[in-house]
Amino acid sequence: MYVYCMFCETQRCKVIAKLMEIRGAMRSFSPQIVRRQRKKGQNLEKQFDLLPGYVFVFSEERMVDYTQFFGMDGVIRRVGKQETGYELAGSDLDFAMRLFEKDGLVGSMKTCVIGDQVTLEDPLFNGCRGKITRIDWRKERARVDFTFDNMACHTWISIDGVKSQKKDPDSLV
């Protein structure tokens, strides 16, 4: 299986993912995360973009016609390197494959808090370390900043289980 990623205009991600499947991709999606939102005194679970602007494309055949990527309105750039045919590799490929296993939908996650450094325990983010920059206790969620595609990204996650520990910069659980 060959895996590609595109950075797109955020409001066009779902349309671009559908078009990629119409054009022959085995599977394509803009990953979503379930997080809590408070309405009328109740915490509701809704889907939001996990990585706003990113569309992952899974194909059984290597894509050699790059007009599939740039022939669409809203595609800003391909992720990856030209010399590898823009195929994802390394930790980006591992991340994409874990997303594929979850069909692009990530449920609420647990985090381990060490000061403001966290390790996301969900298998999708296996070993991914980030930093909690905000916590909304009323909505039971936290903003985690981390790196994807060598760029700073962030997402809001549900805090089903938060373990506070002494701040120890040398140990990440």
Side-chain angles (χ1 to χ4, degrees):
M1 180 180 330
Y2 300 95
V3 183
Y4 304 90
C5 184
M6 299 178 288
F7 185 68
C8 309
E9 293 175 10
T10 306
Q11 65 274 17
R12 304 265 310 147
C13 287
K14 290 179 183 170
V15 171
I16 290 169
K18 285 287 183 204
L19 283 172
M20 288 305 297
E21 288 182 355
I22 290 169
R23 291 182 177 190
M26 178 179 75
R27 182 74 176 101
S28 183
F29 54 74
S30 178
Q32 301 288 298
I33 187 167
V34 176
R35 72 175 187 221
R36 292 193 180 106
Q37 191 173 50
R38 192 162 182 90
K39 283 199 174 183
K40 297 182 182 179
Q42 303 241 342
N43 283 334
L44 305 173
E45 290 189 348
K46 291 190 169 189
Q47 291 181 17
F48 293 89
D49 290 333
L50 174 66
L51 297 169
Y54 286 91
V55 173
F56 291 84
V57 180
F58 302 84
S59 177
E60 293 175 344
E61 297 178 14
R62 178 172 275 129
M63 290 188 182
V64 291
D65 180 11
Y66 296 117
T67 59
Q68 287 184 308
F69 289 110
F70 282 103
M72 287 184 263
D73 182 39
V75 175
I76 297 170
R77 67 177 174 88
R78 296 167 281 200
V79 174
K81 298 178 181 172
Q82 185 175 6
E83 56 269 11
T84 61
Y86 298 100
E87 293 175 34
L88 293 183
S91 61
D92 290 342
L93 176 61
D94 294 339
F95 180 78
M97 292 309 292
R98 287 192 297 270
L99 276 174
F100 181 76
E101 290 169 6
K102 294 178 171 283
D103 200 31
L105 180 63
V106 180
S108 58
M109 296 183 286
K110 297 181 180 181
T111 60
C112 293
V113 178
I114 303 171
D116 58 2
Q117 298 295 318
V118 296
T119 300
L120 301 175
E121 291 179 337
D122 188 279
L124 170 68
F125 292 97
N126 189 19
C128 183
R129 295 179 180 161
K131 180 178 180 179
I132 289 185
T133 56
R134 293 186 206 159
I135 295 178
D136 186 340
W137 293 106
R138 190 173 59 93
K139 293 182 181 176
E140 300 173 2
R141 62 185 188 170
R143 178 181 156 156
V144 177
D145 293 355
F146 60 98
T147 303
F148 174 75
D149 183 30
N150 294 321
M151 294 178 58
C153 298
H154 73 271
T155 190
W156 284 89
I157 63 169
S158 298
I159 14 181
D160 289 334
V162 176
K163 298 178 184 175
S164 296
Q165 299 177 356
K166 285 184 181 178
K167 189 171 186 175
D168 183 0
D170 296 329
S171 68
L172 288 172
V173 177

